[in-house]
Amino acid sequence: MHKITCLFTLLLAATAVGQMPQQMVNAERAKLLEGVKSVPKAGTPGPIGIWGNIAFPILSASSGRDGNEMAVAAAAAYGKGRIILFGQNAYLNGGAGGDSAKLLTNCLRWVGNKEKPRLLIKGVQQAGFFDQQGFKTEKLDGAIDKGALNDCDVLVLNAQNVTDPEEGAVLIDWIKNGGGLVAGMTGWAYSQTSGGKELATTHGVNQALLPAGIAFTDMSAFDQLPAFQARIELPRFMNASEAISAIKAQRTGGPALQPEETKQGTSAIQIALAAQPPGRSNLQTAVASAMGGNVVSAIPSQESPLTQEQHASARIQLGMETRMLRLTHTETIPAHPASAKFPGQPPADAPRVTQEVTIDPKIPGWASTGLYATAGETITVTIPAALAEKSYALRIGCHSDTLYHLDKWLRAPDITKSQPLSAPETKAASAFGGLIYIEVPGRTTETAPFTVTITGGVPAPLFILGKTTDEEWNSTIKKHTAPWAEFACDKVILSAPTDAARTVNNPTQLMEFWKKVVEAQDDIANQTAERKRPERIVADVQISAGYMHSGYPIMVPTSTSLEMITFNKLKFPGWGFYHELGHNHQRGDFTFDGTGEVTNNVLGMYCYEAVMGKDWLIGHPAISESARKEHIADIKKASNKWQEWKSNPFTALTTYIQLVQEFGWPSWRSYLYSFEDPSFGPPPSNDDEKRDQFLIRYSKITNKNLGPFFEAWGIPVSSSAKATVEKLEPWMPKGM
């Protein structure tokens, strides 16, 4: 690390009236990236919002969705001090692999403005790294206060649970007077770790950082990215303020922006806006000024989508509106014009009712109520006084995917909201409306069911297996006029447009089928005891990634709504649904590099066998007999078999198909159950061990030496793993 110079002091003067010049940004970034080539992605990180005059990205990559770059690490100066934020707290101890330790060391020296700054460590696991690097460290177990900070140069902070505004005020004042901060948190997970709170409105430390023009966001990104490459040159307009200035200059006759610059700039603005609390941001004012105040609310739709290239200003305007509307917790909010298009509104004369709903606190997640909130109308929720401020929340809307990062919007990018139930009575309104839920926290200590009273909702079609009869559904329930409906059982809940739901005449048969599907995957994956809540599958006009994606909820396009809710002798929900449920059942023990889109399909194929009694190889054309022969031919002629195998999911899937064809589904079941069997030894801790144990466990289960089989497919395993099973009889399928 070269000697710290006074260059940064010069930067403060040079940028007093504008953005930090790019050559100076590159010079500072070069210091931070000295000796760094690549840093692996740790966990599921999120992007950092950047908009300060002296704020810039350190590590970035394309989101993988639209090509725009997002920063997983960023730096800023504030007053006499410096700040570095990581979008994942796993980067705070140097243990993320690659050059992460070197990067962290550089960051500590940069923010501390000296070779060996004194460190104060709070909330960081395995903090022994700092001692190994020769830093003088102290651990902070209590609150952040002036006394603790006065004896250090740099605070290394896991900010996930440090939310007190008073601590934030102390921290930013210390930074302003010369302190250095290296902090990390997983912003998108804050809602989970805080019991449903919003990052932009309740995280006091994050709010305290806003004057520096850098902050954590509640977004996630970098889905398929294995690592971040260190680059001194990064794209223009990753700083939102710089992008705003360029957009404003273009509007007033300045230089025209290239399409890719506009896309990158609007992306940076959306990311920065994700950190802003409602109504208290200079950035929001700057954005409005840049657009000239002439942009009206746009209404995206399937017929008239809003694209990054053609509607940049309208998208920024709508993005600001939706972010602020989601964070605004008042009982009166006007309906947004886009709400009529999606998710839709009940008829004006639909009855608004008062209804009691029983909530079982032993089932975490979204509890369906069978009610719908009309956009712009007040909903009143009354809960037992003892449960106020116990992390229960009112949710309006099931379409929780956010679309800010997408190049095309078919609906408004953010249309649901969650509001804590912090008093016995809560009044709330949504600008977009949606199905009403009570969110039950995962760590509640309550066990007895309780009653919630909801006033102002419109009845929505809701079928509950074992509680609702087909006759009740067909005679009354499916005639409810809310635009969205649900079918529920204890294993899965389906959300579909009411128009589609009304085509179902046999909901009992439908949900008995879906119950068996989830139970089958639970059973084969040894996860029956893990299930605490039903899966959810929600149809949406546009989702955040892919054709469908896994999660809570699993998201599917509305074009598949009828497929999702149709089951009879001739038709049943297809491959994609079982594929995404399989993702939710994947575990790291049996999923290694190259099998993220494979082991879930093995679980999905089992549904054809166990639930439908069908040929389990009919689900997808890429696993037909002829397709499998092509996969085998491809691997035989590949110069790098392992690369071919792990880069083509259906080629890899053929390997698993051959195992199940020869040894039956009980072998796969025994393999997945073996990770709970101590006789097989401890579970694997890395990819090399996962492949080795795949060979060893499956060989022992089948009483066959699968080493030659793995070698034929190019799956790398260690010599010791091969030696463990070499005394068993070798096995190889025909055609290999």
Side-chain angles (χ1 to χ4, degrees), residues 326-623:
R326 178 171 63 84
L327 297 173
T328 300
H329 292 166
T330 62
E331 60 185 84
T332 55
I333 295 176
H336 194 282
S339 64
K341 273 289 185 181
F342 196 88
Q345 299 302 342
D349 60 354
R352 275 61 171 170
V353 301
T354 295
Q355 182 170 305
E356 291 187 345
V357 180
T358 300
I359 303 298
D360 185 348
K362 297 190 297 296
I363 304 175
W366 306 353
S368 298
T369 66
L371 294 172
Y372 192 91
T374 302
E377 295 189 7
T378 301
I379 300 297
T380 303
V381 180
T382 304
I383 62 172
L387 299 182
E389 295 201 25
K390 289 290 187 71
S391 297
Y392 291 88
L394 164 68
R395 164 168 284 278
I396 299 177
C398 59
H399 303 99
S400 55
D401 271 16
T402 57
L403 313 179
Y404 297 107
H405 60 282
L406 296 179
D407 194 39
K408 179 190 298 183
W409 292 349
L410 306 183
R411 64 160 170 83
D414 194 353
I415 62 174
T416 67
K417 71 182 306 178
S418 175
Q419 183 163 332
L421 297 174
S422 54
E425 182 180 275
T426 299
K427 293 180 180 293
S430 163
F432 289 91
L435 288 168
I436 298 173
Y437 305 92
I438 301 300
E439 293 185 359
V440 179
R443 300 176 183 176
T444 182
T445 58
E446 287 79 32
T447 58
F450 59 90
T451 299
V452 172
T453 302
I454 301 174
T455 300
V458 173
L462 171 62
F463 175 89
I464 303 175
L465 183 65
K467 180 179 179 180
T468 313
T469 66
D470 287 359
E471 181 181 3
E472 290 170 329
W473 170 259
N474 288 308
S475 64
T476 305
I477 296 174
K478 75 178 184 181
K479 297 178 182 177
H480 292 333
T481 55
W484 285 84
E486 293 191 320
F487 300 92
C489 67
D490 63 333
K491 298 298 187 292
V492 66
I493 300 171
L494 315 175
S495 303
T498 296
D499 288 346
R502 287 180 181 142
T503 66
V504 176
N505 297 319
N506 54 346
T508 296
Q509 181 191 37
L510 171 70
M511 295 315 296
E512 285 176 344
F513 163 76
W514 272 110
K515 178 180 173 71
K516 291 176 182 177
V517 167
V518 177
E519 287 176 340
Q521 291 205 14
D522 282 353
D523 176 65
I524 195 75
N526 192 24
Q527 292 170 30
T528 299
E530 291 184 25
R531 182 157 301 286
K532 305 300 181 186
R533 65 186 182 189
E535 303 282 349
R536 279 190 173 272
I537 308 178
V538 174
D540 194 337
V541 71
Q542 186 178 20
I543 66 176
S544 62
Y547 178 64
M548 299 179 175
H549 72 71
S550 58
Y552 184 86
I554 292 170
M555 298 300 299
V556 303
T558 49
S559 60
T560 67
S561 296
L562 286 175
E563 179 183 0
M564 177 174 67
I565 58 178
T566 300
F567 177 77
N568 54 44
K569 293 181 179 179
L570 298 178
K571 184 171 176 59
F572 41 84
W575 179 274
F577 295 95
Y578 315 132
H579 171 100
E580 301 303 345
L581 280 169
H583 273 309
N584 281 4
H585 284 83
Q586 278 178 313
R587 297 295 183 267
D589 288 343
F590 59 87
T591 302
F592 50 84
D593 183 28
T595 61
E597 296 295 331
V598 180
T599 56
N600 61 314
N601 283 332
V602 183
L603 297 168
M605 291 187 300
Y606 180 67
C607 296
Y608 288 86
E609 166 91 4
V611 180
M612 292 178 274
K614 304 275 186 181
D615 177 356
W616 53 276
L617 293 173
I618 66 171
H620 198 288
I623 60 171

Side-chain angles (χ1 to χ4, degrees), residues 709-724:
F709 175 64
F710 274 49
E711 185 175 350
W713 278 108
I715 304 172
V717 291
S718 68
S719 57
S720 61
K722 293 177 182 178
T724 301

